[in-house]
Amino acid sequence: MTEQHRSQLIAAALAARQRAYAPYSKFSVGAAVLTSTGGLFLGCNIENSSYGLTICAERAAIANAVSAGNRELIALAIASAGAVTPCGACRQVMVEFAKNLPVLLIDANQTDHILETNLSVLLPDAFTGPFVL
Ligand code: THU
């Protein structure tokens, strides 16, 4: 990931967070994903009065990328208060489309404080299909 891509991802995740629909938790999350075609796709969390139907920002961003025909993910950024790490469900969706995805964690209240991790750290020994014995 170039420095330019890094700053684009950070700005896009922060912008996506502004669109969060989180009237129940009041916890806004934004995500942005860079694809191999150079595309940048955004997502925000979208809650529902039936709470379990909530879509996380990360999965919304990946759904946008894949729906536009971009299945190869290069890097992903997540913006939230406190720079949370992604939930398990989102980690599993990430591994479907990227084997070793750099993940930037942005604290929306302190945007110069960015943690960089990786999907292989977040989801070691991931399940990617039936075992071959
Ligand atoms: N959420 C995300 O969108 N991404 C995360 O990484 C963690 C959690 C959302 C789901 C829900 O709308 C709110 O944050 C509180 O859990």
Side-chain angles (χ1 to χ4, degrees), residues 1-24:
M1 177 182 17
T2 64
E3 267 312 306
Q4 196 193 358
H5 280 148
R6 191 182 158 89
S7 48
Q8 281 175 345
L9 274 166
I10 294 164
L14 287 165
R17 182 172 172 269
Q18 299 299 318
R19 301 182 192 142
Y21 176 70
Y24 306 105

Side-chain angles (χ1 to χ4, degrees), residues 11-23 27-31 40-47 57 64:
L14 287 165
R17 182 172 172 269
Q18 299 299 318
R19 301 182 192 142
Y21 176 70
F27 188 72
S28 296
V29 184
L40 204 53
F41 295 88
L42 276 59
C44 61
N45 55 330
I46 305 169
E47 298 186 345
N64 275 334

Side-chain angles (χ1 to χ4, degrees), residues 61-117:
I62 293 169
N64 275 334
V66 174
S67 301
N70 300 278
R71 295 179 180 173
E72 208 178 323
L73 311 184
I74 301 299
L76 183 133
I78 308 164
S80 69
V84 297
T85 53
C87 80
C90 288
R91 295 177 197 203
Q92 184 65 31
V93 171
M94 287 174 205
V95 84
E96 187 73 24
F97 298 104
K99 297 308 152 222
N100 205 7
L101 188 70
V103 177
L104 302 174
L105 305 174
I106 306 150
D107 186 343
N109 299 321
Q110 207 183 336
T111 56
D112 58 333
H113 185 223
I114 291 157
L115 300 170
E116 183 166 351
T117 184

